[in-house]
Amino acid sequence: MPRAKQVKSKVIGISRTSGILVLAWLLLGWSRQVLSAEESAVPEPTLQLAPIQIGFSKGGNIGYLQRYDDMGSTKSLQRIYGLTVGVGVTAESFIWQPWLVKVGTHLNASVNSDISDSASNSWSMSKLARSGESVNRTITGGADMRVLPLSRFPFEASFTRNDNRREIGLVKSRYATLTDTLRLSQSYRNPSGRSRYLVTYNLGRAEDIDSNVEKNSLVNLDISLQPFTRQTLQIDGVKERRTSTLTDSTYLNNSFISRHTYRPDAALSVATMASYSDTGYRFSQGQGETGLETLQFSSAGTWRPPDSRLTMTGGLRLFDASSRYNGTSTSQDSYTGANLGANYALNNWLRLYGSADVSDSQGKQTVSSLAISNLNLSIAAQHRPKAIKVGSFNYNRYIAANLSNSTTASSAKNSAGTTSAAGSTLAFSLRLQHGLDSNAELGTGRLTSAVSQALTTSTSRSSTASRGTSPIVNLIHNGSLSWLKGRTGLRLSGSDTREMTQSKGYFQSINLQGSQSESFRGNGILNGDLTINMSRQGYDAAPIPATESLTSTATLNYINPRVFKVRNLAFRSSLRVISADLLQSNSMNQNTQNQGQYSWDNTLTYTIGKLRTEVRGVIEEVHSSKQASLIFFVSRWF
């Protein structure tokens, strides 16, 4: 009995265990059955080619031109036939995924042919003879590859070949050029976008029909950085090499330039630039080697607080250049300069200025040298009081004065010895000016008038002179009158400048300007401009003939994009007349020269789809030489 109980218990335990396993198998089996059905719906991946996008292009133009020219004693007739045909094909695809590698290729071919017939001293079509032919054939092909084009570090590579062949003239002069260009570029942009780097490499080769070969290699470096919020840094570098078998020479160029800007706040801004370049030629036939090396640095700053009346500026510039021949220095020039300036507004009508400039320049050659040092100091003041109302006019006043001192020291050295010189010049200038101006309505327009009178004087004194120069005093009168109404404007102005001392020279001028623009119902627009200028210049205290000139320019343009309300029928007319008379006269003789010219150009154009027809007539005269032309042109794009 106990053994039977043990067997019964074992059987029951096995049954329970088997039941759990069977239930689990059923559940898992059902689950696996469902997953297998989903997996069976998805096709297994297979290896296949990426899609290729192919594009075709074709087009061309056929044209005919006939031209009649009449130049007085000479008449000519010309007829030109032109044909241009071009075809192209492009293909684009990718490797594995579009974001990984994109590839493309292109091939274009074009042919351009022109045939011209002409006849001299005749407008008869029967006398036309073949005068020229030209055929231009061009085939261009290439391929490009872009790796990771959508990333922050894309790489690009391209190769292009251009084959150009030309035949010109009745004797079929042949010209041919074969050009190959390889370009590689790598760029990088950091995640924030504040730093950008770009390196490009270009390799080119060109060969003509005479086997002359030109090779060119160029490396460019472009770096743009924003290291801090208010700073920018731009760095550009170039390394170039060109060789030519025709001139048997090699050109070398190495250059570097950096630009830095700094603006910590709204008041201060500083811009700095540094550059270096080394260029030269090498000749293989014993002609030697030449080169030029330059180095420069400059920095300029401005300080102007928003709530301050003071503005300060400063700058520094260094420059050095040296030339060489066969490795030996032939000349060297250097310059060092600094400047500091300030202006202060005491109020809204008075402003003070001050500046200081210092510079030192040196030049050295094989057997001589020259050194010059300069120091310039200047102070100035400007006073422009508030305008005074006098009836309908405003009375304005202006006073400006400037005092400057320039000190120069120089030293020259040559085979004869060394010479030195030093000196200073003190200069003073003053300007007094007052005037009236008004702005009022006149009829339906607005009238503006202004008159002014100014007195200027300037004098200087050098330390090497026993006394200063005599003051130069000028008396200046200006006046203007303007009227504006919509698109119509008129302006009359005049000036008279007279030197009251020394040569007593004078210059007088009167200028009249007018403009008008008018629109018509039939879509036409008419624009006209007229300018007349008269001037007179001479000297009362010198036996020099006075010079008088009268210049007038008139322009009239008319444009109608729809003549007679016909769509695509456009007319354009332009009339331009320039008259320039130069008169020199004195008590003994008088000489007049006319340098006028005029032109009248009219064009009627009609376009139907891709067909364009144009008739153009031109009449012009330049320096007494007249010419009239009639041109008929028709072209069809396809």
Side-chain angles (χ1 to χ4, degrees), residues 86-105:
V87 295
V89 59
T90 61
E92 294 184 354
S93 185
F94 57 86
I95 300 176
W96 192 42
Q97 293 293 336
W99 56 263
L100 182 64
V101 179
K102 283 189 175 182
V103 293
T105 183

mmCIF file with all atom_site columns, all heavy atoms in Angstrom, residues 86-105:
data_model
loop_
_atom_site.group_PDB
_atom_site.id
_atom_site.type_symbol
_atom_site.label_atom_id
_atom_site.label_alt_id
_atom_site.label_comp_id
_atom_site.label_asym_id
_atom_site.label_entity_id
_atom_site.label_seq_id
_atom_site.pdbx_PDB_ins_code
_atom_site.Cartn_x
_atom_site.Cartn_y
_atom_site.Cartn_z
_atom_site.occupancy
_atom_site.B_iso_or_equiv
_atom_site.pdbx_formal_charge
_atom_site.auth_seq_id
_atom_site.auth_comp_id
_atom_site.auth_asym_id
_atom_site.auth_atom_id
_atom_site.pdbx_PDB_model_num
ATOM 1   N N   . GLY A 1 86  ? 21.926 72.250 -79.544 1.00 0.00 ? 86  GLY A N   1
ATOM 2   C CA  . GLY A 1 86  ? 22.552 71.667 -78.370 1.00 0.00 ? 86  GLY A CA  1
ATOM 3   C C   . GLY A 1 86  ? 21.729 70.530 -77.803 1.00 0.00 ? 86  GLY A C   1
ATOM 4   O O   . GLY A 1 86  ? 20.499 70.576 -77.804 1.00 0.00 ? 86  GLY A O   1
ATOM 5   N N   . VAL A 1 87  ? 22.401 69.474 -77.358 1.00 0.00 ? 87  VAL A N   1
ATOM 6   C CA  . VAL A 1 87  ? 21.758 68.341 -76.708 1.00 0.00 ? 87  VAL A CA  1
ATOM 7   C C   . VAL A 1 87  ? 22.534 68.013 -75.449 1.00 0.00 ? 87  VAL A C   1
ATOM 8   O O   . VAL A 1 87  ? 23.738 68.286 -75.344 1.00 0.00 ? 87  VAL A O   1
ATOM 9   C CB  . VAL A 1 87  ? 21.691 67.102 -77.628 1.00 0.00 ? 87  VAL A CB  1
ATOM 10  C CG1 . VAL A 1 87  ? 20.802 67.372 -78.827 1.00 0.00 ? 87  VAL A CG1 1
ATOM 11  C CG2 . VAL A 1 87  ? 23.088 66.707 -78.088 1.00 0.00 ? 87  VAL A CG2 1
ATOM 12  N N   . GLY A 1 88  ? 21.865 67.426 -74.488 1.00 0.00 ? 88  GLY A N   1
ATOM 13  C CA  . GLY A 1 88  ? 22.519 67.070 -73.241 1.00 0.00 ? 88  GLY A CA  1
ATOM 14  C C   . GLY A 1 88  ? 21.803 65.925 -72.556 1.00 0.00 ? 88  GLY A C   1
ATOM 15  O O   . GLY A 1 88  ? 20.598 65.712 -72.744 1.00 0.00 ? 88  GLY A O   1
ATOM 16  N N   . VAL A 1 89  ? 22.535 65.203 -71.756 1.00 0.00 ? 89  VAL A N   1
ATOM 17  C CA  . VAL A 1 89  ? 21.987 64.100 -70.993 1.00 0.00 ? 89  VAL A CA  1
ATOM 18  C C   . VAL A 1 89  ? 22.629 64.106 -69.612 1.00 0.00 ? 89  VAL A C   1
ATOM 19  O O   . VAL A 1 89  ? 23.825 64.373 -69.482 1.00 0.00 ? 89  VAL A O   1
ATOM 20  C CB  . VAL A 1 89  ? 22.224 62.743 -71.709 1.00 0.00 ? 89  VAL A CB  1
ATOM 21  C CG1 . VAL A 1 89  ? 23.708 62.494 -71.934 1.00 0.00 ? 89  VAL A CG1 1
ATOM 22  C CG2 . VAL A 1 89  ? 21.604 61.600 -70.912 1.00 0.00 ? 89  VAL A CG2 1
ATOM 23  N N   . THR A 1 90  ? 21.842 63.867 -68.596 1.00 0.00 ? 90  THR A N   1
ATOM 24  C CA  . THR A 1 90  ? 22.322 63.794 -67.221 1.00 0.00 ? 90  THR A CA  1
ATOM 25  C C   . THR A 1 90  ? 21.803 62.514 -66.585 1.00 0.00 ? 90  THR A C   1
ATOM 26  O O   . THR A 1 90  ? 20.727 62.020 -66.931 1.00 0.00 ? 90  THR A O   1
ATOM 27  C CB  . THR A 1 90  ? 21.853 64.997 -66.398 1.00 0.00 ? 90  THR A CB  1
ATOM 28  O OG1 . THR A 1 90  ? 20.423 65.019 -66.360 1.00 0.00 ? 90  THR A OG1 1
ATOM 29  C CG2 . THR A 1 90  ? 22.372 66.300 -66.976 1.00 0.00 ? 90  THR A CG2 1
ATOM 30  N N   . ALA A 1 91  ? 22.574 61.986 -65.652 1.00 0.00 ? 91  ALA A N   1
ATOM 31  C CA  . ALA A 1 91  ? 22.193 60.788 -64.920 1.00 0.00 ? 91  ALA A CA  1
ATOM 32  C C   . ALA A 1 91  ? 22.589 60.964 -63.470 1.00 0.00 ? 91  ALA A C   1
ATOM 33  O O   . ALA A 1 91  ? 23.719 61.389 -63.177 1.00 0.00 ? 91  ALA A O   1
ATOM 34  C CB  . ALA A 1 91  ? 22.861 59.554 -65.519 1.00 0.00 ? 91  ALA A CB  1
ATOM 35  N N   . GLU A 1 92  ? 21.664 60.640 -62.577 1.00 0.00 ? 92  GLU A N   1
ATOM 36  C CA  . GLU A 1 92  ? 21.906 60.763 -61.141 1.00 0.00 ? 92  GLU A CA  1
ATOM 37  C C   . GLU A 1 92  ? 21.432 59.499 -60.441 1.00 0.00 ? 92  GLU A C   1
ATOM 38  O O   . GLU A 1 92  ? 20.401 58.933 -60.788 1.00 0.00 ? 92  GLU A O   1
ATOM 39  C CB  . GLU A 1 92  ? 21.177 61.984 -60.557 1.00 0.00 ? 92  GLU A CB  1
ATOM 40  C CG  . GLU A 1 92  ? 21.692 63.315 -61.061 1.00 0.00 ? 92  GLU A CG  1
ATOM 41  C CD  . GLU A 1 92  ? 21.002 64.483 -60.390 1.00 0.00 ? 92  GLU A CD  1
ATOM 42  O OE1 . GLU A 1 92  ? 20.047 64.232 -59.617 1.00 0.00 ? 92  GLU A OE1 1
ATOM 43  O OE2 . GLU A 1 92  ? 21.399 65.639 -60.633 1.00 0.00 ? 92  GLU A OE2 1
ATOM 44  N N   . SER A 1 93  ? 22.206 59.084 -59.443 1.00 0.00 ? 93  SER A N   1
ATOM 45  C CA  . SER A 1 93  ? 21.855 57.909 -58.662 1.00 0.00 ? 93  SER A CA  1
ATOM 46  C C   . SER A 1 93  ? 22.558 57.999 -57.318 1.00 0.00 ? 93  SER A C   1
ATOM 47  O O   . SER A 1 93  ? 23.136 59.050 -56.977 1.00 0.00 ? 93  SER A O   1
ATOM 48  C CB  . SER A 1 93  ? 22.252 56.629 -59.409 1.00 0.00 ? 93  SER A CB  1
ATOM 49  O OG  . SER A 1 93  ? 21.803 55.480 -58.694 1.00 0.00 ? 93  SER A OG  1
ATOM 50  N N   . PHE A 1 94  ? 22.522 56.920 -56.559 1.00 0.00 ? 94  PHE A N   1
ATOM 51  C CA  . PHE A 1 94  ? 23.178 56.892 -55.261 1.00 0.00 ? 94  PHE A CA  1
ATOM 52  C C   . PHE A 1 94  ? 23.702 55.490 -54.999 1.00 0.00 ? 94  PHE A C   1
ATOM 53  O O   . PHE A 1 94  ? 23.327 54.508 -55.671 1.00 0.00 ? 94  PHE A O   1
ATOM 54  C CB  . PHE A 1 94  ? 22.221 57.325 -54.144 1.00 0.00 ? 94  PHE A CB  1
ATOM 55  C CG  . PHE A 1 94  ? 20.959 56.507 -54.052 1.00 0.00 ? 94  PHE A CG  1
ATOM 56  C CD1 . PHE A 1 94  ? 20.920 55.324 -53.329 1.00 0.00 ? 94  PHE A CD1 1
ATOM 57  C CD2 . PHE A 1 94  ? 19.814 56.922 -54.710 1.00 0.00 ? 94  PHE A CD2 1
ATOM 58  C CE1 . PHE A 1 94  ? 19.765 54.568 -53.250 1.00 0.00 ? 94  PHE A CE1 1
ATOM 59  C CE2 . PHE A 1 94  ? 18.649 56.171 -54.643 1.00 0.00 ? 94  PHE A CE2 1
ATOM 60  C CZ  . PHE A 1 94  ? 18.624 54.984 -53.912 1.00 0.00 ? 94  PHE A CZ  1
ATOM 61  N N   . ILE A 1 95  ? 24.594 55.395 -54.027 1.00 0.00 ? 95  ILE A N   1
ATOM 62  C CA  . ILE A 1 95  ? 25.167 54.123 -53.612 1.00 0.00 ? 95  ILE A CA  1
ATOM 63  C C   . ILE A 1 95  ? 24.589 53.761 -52.258 1.00 0.00 ? 95  ILE A C   1
ATOM 64  O O   . ILE A 1 95  ? 24.773 54.496 -51.279 1.00 0.00 ? 95  ILE A O   1
ATOM 65  C CB  . ILE A 1 95  ? 26.701 54.196 -53.558 1.00 0.00 ? 95  ILE A CB  1
ATOM 66  C CG1 . ILE A 1 95  ? 27.263 54.537 -54.942 1.00 0.00 ? 95  ILE A CG1 1
ATOM 67  C CG2 . ILE A 1 95  ? 27.300 52.898 -53.039 1.00 0.00 ? 95  ILE A CG2 1
ATOM 68  C CD1 . ILE A 1 95  ? 28.760 54.721 -54.970 1.00 0.00 ? 95  ILE A CD1 1
ATOM 69  N N   . TRP A 1 96  ? 23.878 52.647 -52.205 1.00 0.00 ? 96  TRP A N   1
ATOM 70  C CA  . TRP A 1 96  ? 23.224 52.089 -51.038 1.00 0.00 ? 96  TRP A CA  1
ATOM 71  C C   . TRP A 1 96  ? 22.055 52.957 -50.579 1.00 0.00 ? 96  TRP A C   1
ATOM 72  O O   . TRP A 1 96  ? 20.919 52.573 -50.686 1.00 0.00 ? 96  TRP A O   1
ATOM 73  C CB  . TRP A 1 96  ? 24.212 51.855 -49.897 1.00 0.00 ? 96  TRP A CB  1
ATOM 74  C CG  . TRP A 1 96  ? 23.610 51.020 -48.792 1.00 0.00 ? 96  TRP A CG  1
ATOM 75  C CD1 . TRP A 1 96  ? 22.816 49.904 -48.937 1.00 0.00 ? 96  TRP A CD1 1
ATOM 76  C CD2 . TRP A 1 96  ? 23.730 51.242 -47.394 1.00 0.00 ? 96  TRP A CD2 1
ATOM 77  N NE1 . TRP A 1 96  ? 22.445 49.410 -47.729 1.00 0.00 ? 96  TRP A NE1 1
ATOM 78  C CE2 . TRP A 1 96  ? 22.993 50.204 -46.743 1.00 0.00 ? 96  TRP A CE2 1
ATOM 79  C CE3 . TRP A 1 96  ? 24.388 52.184 -46.621 1.00 0.00 ? 96  TRP A CE3 1
ATOM 80  C CZ2 . TRP A 1 96  ? 22.897 50.116 -45.371 1.00 0.00 ? 96  TRP A CZ2 1
ATOM 81  C CZ3 . TRP A 1 96  ? 24.301 52.090 -45.252 1.00 0.00 ? 96  TRP A CZ3 1
ATOM 82  C CH2 . TRP A 1 96  ? 23.568 51.072 -44.626 1.00 0.00 ? 96  TRP A CH2 1
ATOM 83  N N   . GLN A 1 97  ? 22.349 54.183 -50.060 1.00 0.00 ? 97  GLN A N   1
ATOM 84  C CA  . GLN A 1 97  ? 21.308 55.075 -49.578 1.00 0.00 ? 97  GLN A CA  1
ATOM 85  C C   . GLN A 1 97  ? 21.594 56.487 -50.089 1.00 0.00 ? 97  GLN A C   1
ATOM 86  O O   . GLN A 1 97  ? 22.754 56.870 -50.271 1.00 0.00 ? 97  GLN A O   1
ATOM 87  C CB  . GLN A 1 97  ? 21.243 55.081 -48.051 1.00 0.00 ? 97  GLN A CB  1
ATOM 88  C CG  . GLN A 1 97  ? 20.794 53.762 -47.438 1.00 0.00 ? 97  GLN A CG  1
ATOM 89  C CD  . GLN A 1 97  ? 19.355 53.426 -47.743 1.00 0.00 ? 97  GLN A CD  1
ATOM 90  O OE1 . GLN A 1 97  ? 18.554 54.323 -48.029 1.00 0.00 ? 97  GLN A OE1 1
ATOM 91  N NE2 . GLN A 1 97  ? 19.010 52.143 -47.702 1.00 0.00 ? 97  GLN A NE2 1
ATOM 92  N N   . PRO A 1 98  ? 20.531 57.307 -50.338 1.00 0.00 ? 98  PRO A N   1
ATOM 93  C CA  . PRO A 1 98  ? 20.774 58.671 -50.839 1.00 0.00 ? 98  PRO A CA  1
ATOM 94  C C   . PRO A 1 98  ? 21.579 59.531 -49.882 1.00 0.00 ? 98  PRO A C   1
ATOM 95  O O   . PRO A 1 98  ? 22.279 60.446 -50.319 1.00 0.00 ? 98  PRO A O   1
ATOM 96  C CB  . PRO A 1 98  ? 19.356 59.224 -51.038 1.00 0.00 ? 98  PRO A CB  1
ATOM 97  C CG  . PRO A 1 98  ? 18.481 58.036 -51.166 1.00 0.00 ? 98  PRO A CG  1
ATOM 98  C CD  . PRO A 1 98  ? 19.089 56.979 -50.297 1.00 0.00 ? 98  PRO A CD  1
ATOM 99  N N   . TRP A 1 99  ? 21.497 59.253 -48.590 1.00 0.00 ? 99  TRP A N   1
ATOM 100 C CA  . TRP A 1 99  ? 22.233 60.077 -47.630 1.00 0.00 ? 99  TRP A CA  1
ATOM 101 C C   . TRP A 1 99  ? 23.700 59.678 -47.539 1.00 0.00 ? 99  TRP A C   1
ATOM 102 O O   . TRP A 1 99  ? 24.499 60.394 -46.953 1.00 0.00 ? 99  TRP A O   1
ATOM 103 C CB  . TRP A 1 99  ? 21.592 59.985 -46.243 1.00 0.00 ? 99  TRP A CB  1
ATOM 104 C CG  . TRP A 1 99  ? 21.463 58.575 -45.720 1.00 0.00 ? 99  TRP A CG  1
ATOM 105 C CD1 . TRP A 1 99  ? 20.367 57.781 -45.790 1.00 0.00 ? 99  TRP A CD1 1
ATOM 106 C CD2 . TRP A 1 99  ? 22.471 57.809 -45.056 1.00 0.00 ? 99  TRP A CD2 1
ATOM 107 N NE1 . TRP A 1 99  ? 20.594 56.561 -45.225 1.00 0.00 ? 99  TRP A NE1 1
ATOM 108 C CE2 . TRP A 1 99  ? 21.896 56.555 -44.745 1.00 0.00 ? 99  TRP A CE2 1
ATOM 109 C CE3 . TRP A 1 99  ? 23.792 58.064 -44.688 1.00 0.00 ? 99  TRP A CE3 1
ATOM 110 C CZ2 . TRP A 1 99  ? 22.605 55.551 -44.106 1.00 0.00 ? 99  TRP A CZ2 1
ATOM 111 C CZ3 . TRP A 1 99  ? 24.490 57.057 -44.039 1.00 0.00 ? 99  TRP A CZ3 1
ATOM 112 C CH2 . TRP A 1 99  ? 23.907 55.817 -43.748 1.00 0.00 ? 99  TRP A CH2 1
ATOM 113 N N   . LEU A 1 100 ? 24.065 58.536 -48.149 1.00 0.00 ? 100 LEU A N   1
ATOM 114 C CA  . LEU A 1 100 ? 25.449 58.075 -48.046 1.00 0.00 ? 100 LEU A CA  1
ATOM 115 C C   . LEU A 1 100 ? 26.306 58.634 -49.181 1.00 0.00 ? 100 LEU A C   1
ATOM 116 O O   . LEU A 1 100 ? 27.226 59.422 -48.952 1.00 0.00 ? 100 LEU A O   1
ATOM 117 C CB  . LEU A 1 100 ? 25.494 56.555 -48.044 1.00 0.00 ? 100 LEU A CB  1
ATOM 118 C CG  . LEU A 1 100 ? 26.904 55.949 -47.898 1.00 0.00 ? 100 LEU A CG  1
ATOM 119 C CD1 . LEU A 1 100 ? 27.508 56.309 -46.561 1.00 0.00 ? 100 LEU A CD1 1
ATOM 120 C CD2 . LEU A 1 100 ? 26.853 54.434 -48.098 1.00 0.00 ? 100 LEU A CD2 1
ATOM 121 N N   . VAL A 1 101 ? 26.019 58.252 -50.410 1.00 0.00 ? 101 VAL A N   1
ATOM 122 C CA  . VAL A 1 101 ? 26.803 58.708 -51.564 1.00 0.00 ? 101 VAL A CA  1
ATOM 123 C C   . VAL A 1 101 ? 25.848 58.989 -52.714 1.00 0.00 ? 101 VAL A C   1
ATOM 124 O O   . VAL A 1 101 ? 25.029 58.130 -53.067 1.00 0.00 ? 101 VAL A O   1
ATOM 125 C CB  . VAL A 1 101 ? 27.857 57.665 -52.003 1.00 0.00 ? 101 VAL A CB  1
ATOM 126 C CG1 . VAL A 1 101 ? 28.626 58.177 -53.218 1.00 0.00 ? 101 VAL A CG1 1
ATOM 127 C CG2 . VAL A 1 101 ? 28.814 57.353 -50.871 1.00 0.00 ? 101 VAL A CG2 1
ATOM 128 N N   . LYS A 1 102 ? 25.927 60.178 -53.281 1.00 0.00 ? 102 LYS A N   1
ATOM 129 C CA  . LYS A 1 102 ? 25.210 60.534 -54.494 1.00 0.00 ? 102 LYS A CA  1
ATOM 130 C C   . LYS A 1 102 ? 26.203 60.686 -55.638 1.00 0.00 ? 102 LYS A C   1
ATOM 131 O O   . LYS A 1 102 ? 27.268 61.291 -55.466 1.00 0.00 ? 102 LYS A O   1
ATOM 132 C CB  . LYS A 1 102 ? 24.431 61.841 -54.311 1.00 0.00 ? 102 LYS A CB  1
ATOM 133 C CG  . LYS A 1 102 ? 23.151 61.708 -53.518 1.00 0.00 ? 102 LYS A CG  1
ATOM 134 C CD  . LYS A 1 102 ? 22.340 62.985 -53.570 1.00 0.00 ? 102 LYS A CD  1
ATOM 135 C CE  . LYS A 1 102 ? 20.992 62.805 -52.885 1.00 0.00 ? 102 LYS A CE  1
ATOM 136 N NZ  . LYS A 1 102 ? 20.178 64.043 -52.977 1.00 0.00 ? 102 LYS A NZ  1
ATOM 137 N N   . VAL A 1 103 ? 25.862 60.148 -56.783 1.00 0.00 ? 103 VAL A N   1
ATOM 138 C CA  . VAL A 1 103 ? 26.734 60.213 -57.949 1.00 0.00 ? 103 VAL A CA  1
ATOM 139 C C   . VAL A 1 103 ? 25.937 60.777 -59.117 1.00 0.00 ? 103 VAL A C   1
ATOM 140 O O   . VAL A 1 103 ? 24.701 60.642 -59.177 1.00 0.00 ? 103 VAL A O   1
ATOM 141 C CB  . VAL A 1 103 ? 27.312 58.837 -58.303 1.00 0.00 ? 103 VAL A CB  1
ATOM 142 C CG1 . VAL A 1 103 ? 28.263 58.354 -57.215 1.00 0.00 ? 103 VAL A CG1 1
ATOM 143 C CG2 . VAL A 1 103 ? 26.198 57.817 -58.520 1.00 0.00 ? 103 VAL A CG2 1
ATOM 144 N N   . GLY A 1 104 ? 26.642 61.384 -60.032 1.00 0.00 ? 104 GLY A N   1
ATOM 145 C CA  . GLY A 1 104 ? 25.996 61.957 -61.205 1.00 0.00 ? 104 GLY A CA  1
ATOM 146 C C   . GLY A 1 104 ? 26.976 62.113 -62.338 1.00 0.00 ? 104 GLY A C   1
ATOM 147 O O   . GLY A 1 104 ? 28.204 62.132 -62.140 1.00 0.00 ? 104 GLY A O   1
ATOM 148 N N   . THR A 1 105 ? 26.452 62.213 -63.532 1.00 0.00 ? 105 THR A N   1
ATOM 149 C CA  . THR A 1 105 ? 27.274 62.429 -64.709 1.00 0.00 ? 105 THR A CA  1
ATOM 150 C C   . THR A 1 105 ? 26.474 63.256 -65.707 1.00 0.00 ? 105 THR A C   1
ATOM 151 O O   . THR A 1 105 ? 25.238 63.291 -65.667 1.00 0.00 ? 105 THR A O   1
ATOM 152 C CB  . THR A 1 105 ? 27.698 61.093 -65.340 1.00 0.00 ? 105 THR A CB  1
ATOM 153 O OG1 . THR A 1 105 ? 28.554 61.343 -66.462 1.00 0.00 ? 105 THR A OG1 1
ATOM 154 C CG2 . THR A 1 105 ? 26.485 60.317 -65.810 1.00 0.00 ? 105 THR A CG2 1
#
